[in-house]
Amino acid sequence: MGSYYLIIGVIFIVSMIVQNRLKSKFAHYSQMRLQNGMSGKEIAEKMLRDNNINDVQVISVPGRLTDHYNPADKTVNLSEEVYMQRNAAAAAVAAHECGHAVQHAVGYSMLQLRSKMVPIVNISSRLLQFVLMAGILVMASSGNKTLLTVGVVLFAVTTLFAFVTLPVEYDASNRALKWLETSGTLGRSEHDAAQDSLKWAARTYVVAALGSLAQLIYFASMLSGRRD
């Protein structure tokens, strides 16, 4: 299990570095008040209007980092801070979540694929840890690899989902940044701040996907007997 703990350790360290950097960036850009004085809510509503999306509601949800777009009920859900604040960080998050609404409206294929995967990913995530651990114990005691194979397949589903999420997130950010620039909603320095914020946010998804892939490779190697 030495290799596994090494992988987990490296993933944890890199993830912490990226998360801390992201928090630092958002804290810094939260101090950059927008010249236009618009709140996150107002920016989101303007981006939706400019993209001729009239059936999506912008609402406030409790907590931090709870921002998301819900395609089921067509709502852009902004955390309380993003919803009310009038700074570059809030503008970046609000526009990014509206980027997902635009994806939904135009039928962006990767978002559609991601949405279709959600039910099976939810099931896989609930079963994953139990099946993997049980599979390892069964293989160690009897040599039977069937249960571990099932666990690896479940892990592969969640890993695939993580990689499908990458283009969805990057595309939403690109749509947000393009609109922020072409609409003249932000000044040059404010736009640069929003771009930097979204860049670091996207890197958290990259780290998560690579970490999931590394763990998948490790567990798959157990099936072939090549693990260290």
Side-chain angles (χ1 to χ4, degrees), residues 1-219:
M1 295 290 285
S3 296
Y4 178 72
Y5 289 123
L6 176 61
I7 291 170
I8 293 298
V10 170
I11 293 169
F12 176 78
I13 292 171
V14 174
S15 178
M16 288 298 296
I17 291 172
V18 173
Q19 288 286 351
N20 287 336
R21 189 65 171 163
L22 174 63
K23 290 178 182 178
S24 174
K25 291 288 184 179
F26 270 84
H28 176 68
Y29 295 132
S30 291
Q31 304 303 313
M32 182 181 287
R33 186 173 176 83
L34 298 181
Q35 294 179 3
N36 60 26
M38 296 176 70
S39 66
K41 172 182 180 290
E42 292 166 338
I43 286 174
E45 290 176 340
K46 176 173 171 54
M47 183 170 172
L48 293 174
R49 286 195 305 270
D50 288 355
N51 283 275
N52 298 313
I53 300 175
N54 303 308
D55 58 348
V56 172
Q57 184 181 6
V58 180
I59 63 175
S60 175
V61 293
R64 297 190 63 196
L65 303 177
T66 50
D67 311 273
H68 65 282
Y69 171 67
N70 188 339
D73 60 8
K74 291 190 174 183
T75 55
V76 171
N77 300 265
L78 302 180
S79 59
E80 294 167 334
E81 290 183 352
V82 171
Y83 188 86
M84 295 183 296
Q85 290 185 359
R86 305 170 187 272
N87 53 57
V93 174
H96 172 86
E97 298 308 332
C98 286
H100 289 306
V102 175
Q103 290 174 334
H104 190 195
V106 301
Y108 179 57
S109 60
M110 295 304 289
L111 179 66
Q112 293 177 333
L113 174 60
R114 186 181 186 278
S115 297
K116 290 177 181 177
M117 290 181 67
V118 168
I120 190 171
V121 169
N122 288 339
I123 295 172
S124 297
S125 298
R126 285 196 294 267
L127 298 175
L128 182 58
Q129 294 300 322
F130 170 77
V131 175
L132 274 178
M133 293 302 103
I136 292 171
L137 291 174
V138 170
M139 189 178 74
S141 61
S142 68
N144 190 311
K145 299 180 179 181
T146 303
L147 192 56
L148 180 57
T149 300
V150 173
V152 169
V153 171
L154 293 175
F155 207 129
V157 170
T158 62
T159 299
L160 177 60
F161 184 77
F163 276 92
V164 168
T165 295
L166 292 181
V168 174
E169 294 300 325
Y170 273 94
D171 181 79
S173 290
N174 289 338
R175 291 177 190 271
L177 292 168
K178 182 178 180 180
W179 174 79
L180 288 169
E181 182 174 22
T182 58
S183 66
T185 302
L186 301 186
R188 184 70 259 170
S189 61
E190 295 168 341
H191 184 274
D192 289 345
Q195 184 174 34
D196 196 32
S197 298
L198 293 179
K199 176 184 71 177
W200 281 97
R203 287 176 178 173
T204 63
Y205 290 99
V206 174
V207 171
L210 292 177
S212 183
L213 178 61
Q215 292 183 76
L216 174 62
I217 292 172
Y218 174 80
F219 287 118

